[in-house]
Amino acid sequence: MYDPSATDEPEFQSVVDALDDEDCHAIIEALDEPMTASELSDECDIPLSTTYRKLEQLTESSLLVEETQLRADGRHTSQYRVNFEDVTIMLAEDNSLELRIARPPETPDERLASMWKEVRKET
């Protein structure tokens, strides 16, 4: 069974709730490439306030990742991208439900950030 203290994986119910939401589906389907909340609101025809709530739900369940897009003018903005390739719910040997999320390969920037995170833990 999922143990939130053992990993950085999201709670089972938060993933199921996000996957069971029509607006969350629309957002995931629209994300062929990273997009801002405003772009997603327009693309999915969802009010911007609702879009922000759904983006929060999807990022908390780790189905999306929020990234900061740096701009030369200093006005940085958040973009969102899908953070899974496959979500599987299985019946474990003890008849409990088990959640597995297959992640896409890390980008070079993500690998570097992970390495720095590990270095900081050791110092």
Side-chain angles (χ1 to χ4, degrees):
M1 184 72 179
Y2 173 74
D3 178 7
S5 63
T7 68
D8 290 337
E9 290 297 314
E11 290 185 25
F12 181 92
Q13 194 61 49
S14 72
V15 174
V16 172
D17 290 345
L19 292 173
D20 191 39
D21 185 282
E22 187 177 314
D23 290 335
C24 289
H25 282 197
I27 289 169
I28 290 169
E29 290 172 7
L31 282 170
D32 292 333
E33 60 184 331
M35 297 174 77
T36 65
S38 180
E39 291 168 336
L40 285 164
S41 175
D42 291 343
E43 178 75 21
C44 299
D45 196 29
I46 301 171
L48 190 56
S49 60
T50 301
T51 301
Y52 277 113
R53 282 196 314 277
K54 300 306 177 176
L55 288 170
E56 183 177 347
Q57 181 179 6
L58 287 162
T59 54
E60 286 178 0
S61 64
S62 82
L63 297 174
L64 297 186
V65 171
E66 179 180 3
E67 301 172 325
T68 302
Q69 179 186 28
L70 304 176
R71 295 184 176 174
D73 65 3
R75 292 181 18 192
H76 310 311
T77 187
S78 291
Q79 288 187 317
Y80 299 85
R81 68 173 171 80
V82 175
N83 189 34
F84 70 97
E85 291 181 339
D86 187 31
V87 175
T88 306
I89 298 173
M90 301 172 297
L91 187 60
E93 288 182 21
D94 65 355
N95 285 341
S96 64
L97 293 177
E98 195 173 286
L99 175 72
R100 291 199 185 145
I101 301 175
R103 303 285 179 199
E106 285 185 317
T107 65
D109 289 342
E110 290 169 332
R111 283 194 304 274
L112 182 59
S114 294
M115 287 189 311
W116 275 115
K117 183 178 177 182
E118 292 302 314
V119 167
R120 278 188 250 137
K121 282 182 187 177
E122 293 181 19
T123 58

